[in-house]
């Protein structure tokens, strides 16, 4: 679980050896107000179910405590736990109530969650069934009573066992067990059968109609539209996602503009020819289609990014018409024409389709689209030889596994090599090879290697075991398998695969710069005595303990070096430190004690929101010096002092060796300014 503003959000229940789930009223004295994720603690956005079951088929009942409300992912939290037979809400809950194994919102009596044993009440006027209310429910039949006024188009997503639908609502009709919205002839529930036949009454198929169903072969009739009835931004199309679809035919005249994730996780789909009306192949469109061998793409379609074709181990052929002016399939790659170039050649990589063990990017590639190298299959050693300035750019390598990845750059490029942040994400790489031709693009840190190259958040952190910088590289070198700037001996990346319980550094390292940002593996670090600067090094990481070697020469701690740390509880700054930068401990909510051992330390200050201790949660400062020296750090300004910290600071321990008492504790309110 996570906490925010003294409230708890449940993020997962990882122990599956139980049958009854009880969501408590409180945890650690804080109310449990929300449920996210799934029953096994994984992202509810994945929508991945186990073969023949769910995330936790053992669960039989769920009891919701007195404080739970409806959050963004509440309805999908138990998706896949398909054998739930009973759901109940505490009678003291002000937000929700339960009836007939359904959960309702007290604010408007809408039905927000149902299971396979649910019976929709007939006595609630103008009843609304909300988004994902029955997601993954394993019932075989469902009855929609006459009092149901509206049903969200996602309400019955991923109902794998649903065969029979009956309906008395005047707003809907059932034809051949398809539930159809009368106002727009839109089908949003289909029966889970192997060979469904879409009725002639259907003019539109909505976002989740066949999602998770048993349909093997489907024909979309002429003039039928595949789309959402809500605004385009409301739902992503999951029309056939996670279904048993093997074959789909689009009759001439089908209206199908954007794919969304319509075929995401269709693991049995072997080939597909998209209709001429398709204008966009969207992000994730054919991701994880494990049996897909061939796809034909019409001339009007654009490809949003390379992730559309990720994790397709059998995909060998991508067909474009010979007169397609935007795309081509060449050298086992989907390539795009660069319309901005004076030559307008096919020089932009959309995605790699090759499954060869050793693959080298064609030399004519000059640009890449987002996720161009995504969930490749079969490639063990990838050489990104290229002729473009952006050797690595945002989200270029995503969810890949390589033995070696060589990020070759254009030889003798006068502009240098541009490396943007968040370039290699969620990947596993044994050895990253940086060529001798690498050179700094600019002096800006935004275009250099650092930890942000390999991580933009905890969920997307790449695991890299070793970095090799080829001999002869002017700007970088590898020391103990790490990336180090030659001129400054600045550590810019410490491979995640090297991290044990305690991290130490070579004596050659002088500076730490962004090297552990977002790192969720590091727990303890020993700062070597030769390190003189720490800047942005550990923010958003899982660091819990910091030790400074005796004889530390550390001079500066800058710019959120220890910010946003949930596990660090105390830190003792060595006496060698003379300068602090901005927001060094910002939003590290469990950091209770900070010890400052140099009474002449200089703090950063610009204004109320830009200072060393801005949003620092410390409860106690141990200061080895006099009270006069402590106040001098804040320029003897009470207002400047009040801008620091979050209000948690209770006391200052003054360790003054020149006084008789030597040590005294002063309450913050007792400081005389």
């Amino acid at each position: 679980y996570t906490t925010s503003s003294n409230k708890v959000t449940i993020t997962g229940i990882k122990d599956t050896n139980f049958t009854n789930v009880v969501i408590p009223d409180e945890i650690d004295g804080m109310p449990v107000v929300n449920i996210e994720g799934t029953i096994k603690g994984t992202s509810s956005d994945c929508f991945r179910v186990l073969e023949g079951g769910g995330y936790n088929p053992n669960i039989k009942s769920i009891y919701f405590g007195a404080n739970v409300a409806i959050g963004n992912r509440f309805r999908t939290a138990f998706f896949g736990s398909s054998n739930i037979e009973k759901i109940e809400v505490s009678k003291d809950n002000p937000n929700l109530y339960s009836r007939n194994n359904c959960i309702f919102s007290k604010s408007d009596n809408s039905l927000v969650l149902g299971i396979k044993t649910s019976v929709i009440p007939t006595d609630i006027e103008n009843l609304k069934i909300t988004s994902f209310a029955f997601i993954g429910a394993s019932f075989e039949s469902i009855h929609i009573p006459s009092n149901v006024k509206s049903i969200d188009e996602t309400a019955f997503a991923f109902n794998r066992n649903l065969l029979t639908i009956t309906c008395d609502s005047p707003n809907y009709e059932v034809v051949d067990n398809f539930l159809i919205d009368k106002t727009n002839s839109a089908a949003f529930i289909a029966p889970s059968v192997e060979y469904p036949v879409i009725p002639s009454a259907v003019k539109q198929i909505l976002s989740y109609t066949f999602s998770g169903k048993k349909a093997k072969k489907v024909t979309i009739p002429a003039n039928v539209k595949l789309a959402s009835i809500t605004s385009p931004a409301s739902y992503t199309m999951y029309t056939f996602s996670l279904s048993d679809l093997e074959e789909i035919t689009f009759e001439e005249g089908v209206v199908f503009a954007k794919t969304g994730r319509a075929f995401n996780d269709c693991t049995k789909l072997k080939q597909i020819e998209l209709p001429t009306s398709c204008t966009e192949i969207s992000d994730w469109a054919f991701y994880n289609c494990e049996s897909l061998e061939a796809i034909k793409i019409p001339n009007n379609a654009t490809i949003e990014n390379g992730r559309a074709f990720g994790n397709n181990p059998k995909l060998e052929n991508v067909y474009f018409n010979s007169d397609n002016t935007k795309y081509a399939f060449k050298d086992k790659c989907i390539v795009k024409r660069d319309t901005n170039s004076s030559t307008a050649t096919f020089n932009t990589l959309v995605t790699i389709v090759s499954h060869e063990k050793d693959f080298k990017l064609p030399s004519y590639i000059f640009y890449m689209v987002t996720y161009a190298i995504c969930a490749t299959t079969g490639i063990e050693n990838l050489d990104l030889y290229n002729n473009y300035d952006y050797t690595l750019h945002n989200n270029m390598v995503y969810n890949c596994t390589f033995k070696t990845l060589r990020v070759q750059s254009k030889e003798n490029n006068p502009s240098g090599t541009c490396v943007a942040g968040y370039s290699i994400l969620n990947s596993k790489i044994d050895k990253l090879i940086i060529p001798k031709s690498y050179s700094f693009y600019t002096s800006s840190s935004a275009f250099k290697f650092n930890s942000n190259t390999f991580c933009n958040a905890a969920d997307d952190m790449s695991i890299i075991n070793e970095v090799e910088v080829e001999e002869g590289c002017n700007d970088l070198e590898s020391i103990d398998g790490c990336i180090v700037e030659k001129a400054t001996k600045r550590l810019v990346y410490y491979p995640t695969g090297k991290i044990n319980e305690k991290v130490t550094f070579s004596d050659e390292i002088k500076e730490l710069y962004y090297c552990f940002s977002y790192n969720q593996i590091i727990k303890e670090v020993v700062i070597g005595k030769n390190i003189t600067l720490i800047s942005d090094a550990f923010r958003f990481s899982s660091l819990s303990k910091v030790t400074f070697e005796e004889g530390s020469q550390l001079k500066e701690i800058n710019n959120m070096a220890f910010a946003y740390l949930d596990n660090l509880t105390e830190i003792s700054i060595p006496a060698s430190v003379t300068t602090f930068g901005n927001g060094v401990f910002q939003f590290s909510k469990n950091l209770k004690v900070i010890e400052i051992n140099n009474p002449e330390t200089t703090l950063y200050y610009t204004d109320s929101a830009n200072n060393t201790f801005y949003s620092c949660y410390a409860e106690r400062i141990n200061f080895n010096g006099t009270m006069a020296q402590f106040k001098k750090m804040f320029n003897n300004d009470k207002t400047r002092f009040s801008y620091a910290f979050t209000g948690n600071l209770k006391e200052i321990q003054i360790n003054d060796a020149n006084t008789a008492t030597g040590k005294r504790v002063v309450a913050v309110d007792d400081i005389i300014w």
Side-chain angles (χ1 to χ4, degrees), residues 649-664:
L649 188 65
K650 303 296 189 300
E651 58 190 26
I652 314 296
Q653 178 176 301
I654 301 296
N655 302 321
D656 186 354
N658 297 318
T659 64
T661 56
K663 181 186 295 185
R664 61 193 175 105

Side-chain angles (χ1 to χ4, degrees), residues 556-569:
E556 296 181 48
I557 302 178
N558 287 334
N559 303 336
M560 296 194 290
F562 299 101
Y564 295 91
L565 303 182
D566 290 336
N567 300 320
L568 188 65
T569 58

Side-chain angles (χ1 to χ4, degrees), residues 265-281:
D265 280 288
C266 286
T267 58
K268 299 177 182 179
L269 181 64
K270 294 182 179 180
Q271 60 184 22
I272 186 171
E273 180 177 347
L274 293 169
T276 56
S277 60
C278 181
T279 58
E280 178 186 284
I281 299 175

Side-chain angles (χ1 to χ4, degrees), residues 329-495:
F329 186 54
K330 298 172 58 179
D331 301 314
K332 300 295 184 180
C333 297
I334 299 177
V335 291
K336 179 182 176 182
R337 185 187 294 273
D338 172 29
T339 56
N340 295 321
S341 169
S342 58
T343 57
T345 59
F346 289 101
N347 61 4
T348 300
L349 178 69
V350 176
T351 193
I352 297 174
V353 182
S354 173
H355 310 296
E356 300 170 7
K357 179 179 177 181
D358 303 303
F359 187 79
K360 185 174 182 178
L361 199 64
S363 59
Y364 54 80
I365 298 298
F366 200 88
Y367 304 106
M368 290 191 183
V369 303
T370 304
Y371 303 116
I373 302 155
C374 176
T376 58
T377 55
I379 299 176
E380 295 182 5
N381 305 294
L382 179 62
D383 191 341
L384 293 183
Y385 176 82
N386 61 78
N387 278 307
Y388 52 94
D389 289 346
Y390 271 85
T391 295
L392 291 171
H393 66 78
N394 287 349
N395 300 321
M396 192 179 81
V397 180
Y398 181 81
N399 199 24
C400 293
T401 299
F402 299 118
K403 288 184 177 179
T404 63
L405 175 63
R406 190 171 189 268
V407 287
Q408 176 67 289
S409 57
K410 183 180 179 181
E411 296 286 348
N412 303 316
N413 187 346
S415 300
T417 307
C418 187
V419 179
Y422 319 143
S423 302
I424 302 175
L425 301 179
N426 201 36
S427 295
K428 295 180 180 179
I429 301 168
D430 286 341
K431 180 184 286 189
L432 176 70
I433 302 173
I434 301 172
K436 64 182 180 180
S437 58
Y438 176 91
S439 61
F440 287 155
Y441 184 83
T442 67
S443 60
S444 169
S445 63
F447 298 109
K448 296 182 181 182
F449 276 106
N450 58 50
S451 64
N452 285 355
T453 303
F454 310 99
C455 186
N456 69 350
D459 290 341
D460 285 330
M461 183 178 68
S462 288
I463 303 298
I464 299 175
N465 293 329
E466 180 186 358
V467 178
E468 176 187 317
V469 180
E470 292 181 349
E471 189 174 350
C473 182
N474 291 327
D475 293 329
L476 296 178
E477 62 182 327
S478 52
I479 297 178
D480 292 342
C482 304
I483 303 178
V484 179
E485 289 186 11
K486 271 189 174 180
T488 61
K489 298 299 180 183
R490 171 179 289 178
L491 177 67
V492 294
Y493 179 65
Y494 192 103

